Amino acid sequence: MKTTALALSAGDPAGIGPEIIAKAWSALRAEGPSFMVVGDAQLLASAGGGVKVRAVTGPVEAIKVFSQALPVLDIPLQAPVVAGKPSGAHAAQVIRWIETGAGLALSGAVTGLVTAPIAKAPLYDAGFAFPGHTEFLAELTHVGQGQPPHGPVMMLAARDLRATLVTIHMPLSAVPAALSIEAIVNAGRVTVEALRKDFGVAVPRLAVAALNPHAGEGGALGGEEIAIIEPAVRALRELGIQVRGPAPADSLFHAEARATYDAVLCMYHDQALIPVKMLDFWAGVNVTLGLPIVRTSPDHGTGFDIAGRGLARADSLIAAIRLAAEIADRRSIA
C-alpha cells in the first residue's frame, strides 16, 4: 500500500454518495489506492451498509487504518439526512467538504481530490454561485486568472475514449455564441498538455468535432465551422499540435475513429457525454484538466431516486479513484 492518499469529498449527503463511497472502500481496501473521505463520519457509518468507519485527523492516519476501516475526516452535518431528499440545511457543510479537500490537495497533504456527486440547487441558498464542481474548483485553485492556456477544461474518459469540452454547463441555445477561436485553442492546448503530463502520451493526437451536422456543409448548415472552428484548428496546428477537424461528430466515436486520436475536443456537453456513456455507462470518469491539483469524479449525478436503497453501483467512483491515483503518480514522476 502506498504512503500517500487521496481526499474524497462526500458529495450530497442525501444522494448515493455515502453508499458508493462505502462500496468503493470495500473494493479497494486491500490494495488501494488509499483515500480519506471528507464528510460526516456518522452518516458514512449509518448509510454505508455496515462498513466500519474511523474518524481520523488527517491523511497520515487515514493511510494507517485504510485496510481496516473507512477513514473519514469528520466535518459533521448540522441537520438530519433523509435519503433521496436534498436539503439546503446541508449546504454549508457540503461546500466546506469540497473546500477542505481542495485545500488538502493544494497543500500537498493529499495527492489529489475525488469528488462525489453534488446537487447544485440545494447549495444556492448558501452562496454557491457556480454551475458545478469544475467551475468552483477553478475558483478555489485560482485558475483562469492568468494568461492562457489555462483550465478548467472538463474531460470525460471511458475505455479508449477521452473527450474534452470547449463549453460546459450551459443551454444548448447559448453554445454558438460562447464559442470562439481563443476558447477552442485554449481547450486544445490544455488537453494536449494534460495528455502528455497526466496520461503519458508523448505525441498527442487531437481531433476536433464540428458543431453543426455534416461539419456545416460548407456553410449551408451553419457558419461556425468556417468562422470559428477551422481557424482554431489552423492555430493549433501552427503551434505544432497534431490535430484534425472540424469533423462531423457522427463519425468521430466508433472504434476505428477512436484509434486515430488520443482525445477529441467537443463543442458542447452532450456531444462528449453521450458517446462516453454509450461506450461505458457504468465506469466513465470526469477529469478536470488545467488545475494545479488532480481532480476526478464519477460521471453521474446524485441518484436521489435510488438513494438509500442499496442499488447504486460504485464502478464510476472506483474508476475515478484509480485514475486520480494514476495521474498523481505520473505528476510525481515528472
Side-chain angles (χ1 to χ4, degrees):
M1 180 119 9
K2 294 184 179 180
T3 57
T4 54
L6 298 159
L8 198 168
S9 59
D12 193 299
I16 60 174
E19 178 182 343
I20 61 175
I21 289 170
K23 290 178 178 178
W25 173 77
S26 296
L28 299 172
R29 59 181 294 192
E31 298 183 1
S34 299
F35 59 86
M36 175 183 70
V37 181
V38 182
D40 185 306
Q42 184 176 350
L43 172 70
L44 269 296
S46 62
V51 302
K52 185 177 180 181
V53 172
R54 180 83 59 85
V56 297
T57 57
V60 174
E61 185 181 357
I63 294 165
K64 292 178 181 178
V65 307
F66 187 78
S67 62
Q68 289 82 42
L70 173 61
V72 182
L73 184 64
D74 191 25
I75 301 176
L77 295 165
Q78 302 301 307
V81 175
V82 178
K85 304 293 184 182
S87 170
H90 308 137
Q93 282 70 42
V94 171
I95 293 170
R96 187 179 168 199
W97 295 344
I98 301 167
E99 292 172 335
T100 300
L104 288 166
L106 273 173
S107 71
V110 297
T111 54
L113 174 63
V114 181
T115 58
I118 58 172
K120 273 71 74 177
L123 305 183
Y124 291 148
D125 288 342
F128 191 79
F130 304 90
H133 264 122
T134 301
E135 298 85 353
F136 186 37
L137 289 169
E139 176 77 13
L140 292 175
T141 57
H142 311 293
V143 164
Q145 299 174 8
Q147 294 296 316
H150 54 66
V153 172
M154 181 187 287
M155 171 184 281
L156 283 300
R159 298 187 188 177
D160 63 343
L161 175 59
R162 303 183 190 100
T164 55
L165 300 170
V166 177
T167 65
I168 306 178
H169 298 111
M170 64 174 57
L172 187 59
S173 60
V175 169
L179 292 178
S180 68
I181 296 171
E182 293 78 12
I184 295 170
V185 170
N186 180 73
R189 292 175 68 184
V190 171
T191 299
V192 167
E193 181 180 349
L195 288 170
R196 293 190 183 112
K197 181 175 67 173
D198 295 341
F199 293 90
V201 181
V203 184
R205 302 164 300 165
L206 188 65
V208 178
L211 174 67
N212 295 298
H214 302 186
E217 198 73 73
L221 297 179
E224 288 83 4
E225 284 73 21
I226 295 171
I228 301 171
I229 306 176
E230 289 177 7
V233 170
R234 289 196 297 269
L236 288 167
R237 194 171 292 125
E238 289 168 1
L239 291 169
I241 294 171
Q242 290 193 24
V243 58
R244 67 180 180 90
D250 63 1
S251 63
L252 272 178
F253 298 104
H254 59 91
E256 290 83 357
R258 297 197 304 271
T260 67
Y261 57 77
D262 300 296
V264 56
L265 189 58
C266 298
M267 298 300 110
Y268 59 93
H269 186 276
D270 284 9
Q271 193 176 58
L273 271 74
I274 289 172
V276 165
K277 293 191 176 186
M278 285 291 293
L279 185 64
D280 193 347
F281 182 79
W282 296 112
V285 179
N286 178 358
V287 189
T288 306
L289 311 182
L291 297 181
I293 64 172
V294 176
R295 184 264 173 156
T296 66
S297 178
D299 75 340
H300 58 70
T302 50
F304 291 128
D305 58 324
I306 60 170
R309 298 168 58 190
L311 301 176
R313 292 178 55 160
D315 308 50
S316 185
L317 180 60
I318 293 168
I321 293 166
R322 287 175 169 157
L323 182 55
E326 291 171 10
I327 293 173
D329 285 346
R330 290 193 183 98
R331 289 194 184 185
S332 66
I333 292 170

